[in-house]
Amino acid sequence: MRLLGSAVSASRKVQSSLSSALPRALVTGFHMSASEPEMQFHEIKDRESGKTRRLAYQKLSGHRTHGLIFIPGFMSHKGGRKASGLLSFCQKHGFPYLRYDPSGLGESQGVSMTDTRFSLWLEDANEMLLKVADSPQIVVCSSMGCWLTSHLLQMHPEKVAGILMLAPGVNFHVRYEKALQSKLPPELLKKYEEGGVVPLFTDHGEFPLSKAFFGDMEKFTLNMEPNKLPVSVPVRIIHGMKDKDVDYTESLPLLNTLGTEDVQLTYLKHAGHRLSDEQSLEVIYDAILRLASEVDKKARLCGRGGDGGTVDPTV
């Protein structure tokens, strides 16, 4: 566990240590592409209703062996600042990159925001990982996206090469439902208890919620007992100590739940939940470069190849 009081100075130290630790051949090559990937759609047919929904996504090509996929958090999508910042980062450093809009959000089609569910978001992430991404991915996940990723890891461990969790919001449904109920006036609380839809106002905007929405989340509650989440890849966690949505102490139990010793937790003293300020983004980019270097080294040792002379620790 690390505590970073100044993200900028910490970022510079990381860059310096990387430059000195990595062979010169590994730090010189990089790829820069200024073109914006075209928006595409991936179709998913619902087995029960027969209806088809279309997930909007952008896919960037790159020369590295392991690509990055961004799993967004609650009410977030490919247009968020972290997702957009990662596009520029991946263009610079040659990472294949995939970002998408979950069902009911952004430019995805076929499901309204009122009808979307956690189970659909998990299926969305699973489809992106299995059918749109090209290689074992370094998964960068934010808030609720870390909860989704925890399930993906159990479903398809072979598709995950490494994980970077940002302000992980695992099992947050109980807290959110209680907070919602405490703020509702009597008439809306009655409507909610009877199964109606009520608005939740957040920093991200207005989102329609119902007991059915939280009931769907309940089915995916993660067991937080020690070593209950089998994982064989490196995991890195970054959490802001001024996070008002998911308290930074909630990352500590996750360390024990993850069944690997290769987990590192970094606290940013200045940061809140979003981790989208410039200082936090610098730390995130440094963490990805370090993680990619470790993943490539592990792949070479296992005889699966790697990116060789393509690691560039400058952001």
Side-chain angles (χ1 to χ4, degrees):
M1 180 175 68
R2 294 186 294 162
L3 175 62
L4 302 188
S6 170
V8 172
S9 61
S11 174
R12 289 170 180 164
K13 289 178 181 177
V14 169
Q15 292 174 4
S16 176
S17 62
L18 268 174
S19 298
S20 61
L22 295 173
R24 183 175 298 275
L26 296 183
V27 300
T28 54
F30 70 91
H31 171 76
M32 173 67 83
S33 172
S35 60
E36 178 86 4
E38 65 174 328
M39 189 177 73
Q40 302 180 66
F41 289 91
H42 176 71
E43 293 189 350
I44 303 177
K45 186 173 182 179
D46 187 86
R47 286 176 243 177
E48 294 183 7
S49 67
K51 294 181 179 180
T52 298
R53 65 185 192 274
R54 305 176 74 223
L55 302 183
Y57 72 91
Q58 286 182 304
K59 186 177 180 182
L60 176 72
S61 61
H63 61 261
R64 288 178 179 259
T65 302
H66 298 100
L68 266 62
I69 180 173
F70 182 73
I71 310 293
F74 179 65
M75 276 194 67
S76 190
H77 49 75
K78 63 177 169 56
R81 188 170 183 190
K82 288 193 293 294
S84 299
L86 281 171
L87 174 61
S88 299
F89 169 81
C90 289
Q91 286 175 323
K92 178 177 180 180
H93 295 282
F95 286 100
Y97 177 53
L98 176 63
R99 60 175 178 164
Y100 68 96
D101 292 333
S103 295
L105 301 170
E107 298 174 283
S108 289
Q109 304 167 357
V111 176
S112 69
M113 190 181 292
T114 301
D115 293 329
T116 195
R117 295 287 186 269
F118 185 93
S119 54
L120 294 185
W121 291 338
L122 179 57
E123 186 178 12
D124 295 345
N126 188 58
E127 287 276 319
M128 288 289 119
L129 183 64
L130 287 184
K131 299 181 180 179
V132 182
D134 294 323
S135 63
Q137 299 287 292
I138 295 175
V139 181
V140 182
C141 45
S142 177
S143 191
M144 186 195 71
C146 303
W147 187 2
L148 295 171
T149 299
S150 298
H151 285 285
L152 292 178
L153 185 61
Q154 297 176 77
M155 296 160 62
H156 304 289
E158 75 284 355
K159 293 291 290 183
V160 179
I163 303 172
L164 175 59
M165 294 185 169
L166 308 174
V170 176
N171 298 345
F172 71 88
H173 55 296
V174 176
R175 180 176 64 254
Y176 256 52
E177 184 173 24
K178 288 180 179 178
L180 175 67
Q181 291 173 308
S182 68
K183 295 177 181 178
L184 292 176
E187 63 275 12
L188 282 182
L189 181 59
K190 184 175 184 294
K191 179 181 179 180
Y192 176 82
E193 293 295 347
E194 292 175 348
V197 176
V198 300
L200 171 68
F201 296 95
T202 72
D203 292 339
H204 302 283
E206 179 182 336
F207 191 83
L209 287 179
S210 63
K211 288 188 74 68
F213 181 89
F214 285 110
D216 182 73
M217 273 188 162
E218 181 67 30
K219 296 182 295 185
F220 299 95
T221 301
L222 191 68
N223 188 333
M224 296 297 288
E225 293 179 7
N227 299 316
K228 281 296 183 178
L229 184 57
V231 54
S232 59
V233 299
V235 181
R236 305 295 177 257
I237 304 171
I238 299 174
H239 210 143
M241 294 184 68
K242 294 182 179 178
D243 192 332
K244 295 181 180 179
D245 294 300
V246 181
D247 193 275
Y248 70 92
T249 59
E250 293 191 24
S251 283
L252 290 172
L254 193 55
L255 291 178
N256 291 323
T257 300
L258 293 163
T260 176
E261 295 297 310
D262 193 1
V263 185
Q264 296 176 13
L265 169 60
T266 298
Y267 282 138
L268 302 186
K269 188 174 182 180
H270 78 280
H273 184 65
R274 293 193 179 187
L275 296 172
S276 58
D277 60 279
E278 290 299 328
Q279 294 178 342
S280 297
L281 289 175
E282 280 194 52
V283 176
I284 289 170
Y285 298 153
D286 283 334
I288 292 172
L289 289 168
R290 279 178 168 268
L291 185 56
S293 178
E294 293 167 19
V295 166
D296 291 341
K297 181 179 179 181
K298 182 177 180 181
R300 288 193 296 272
L301 291 174
C302 294
R304 294 194 300 268
D307 293 324
T310 61
V311 178
D312 173 20
T314 60
V315 178

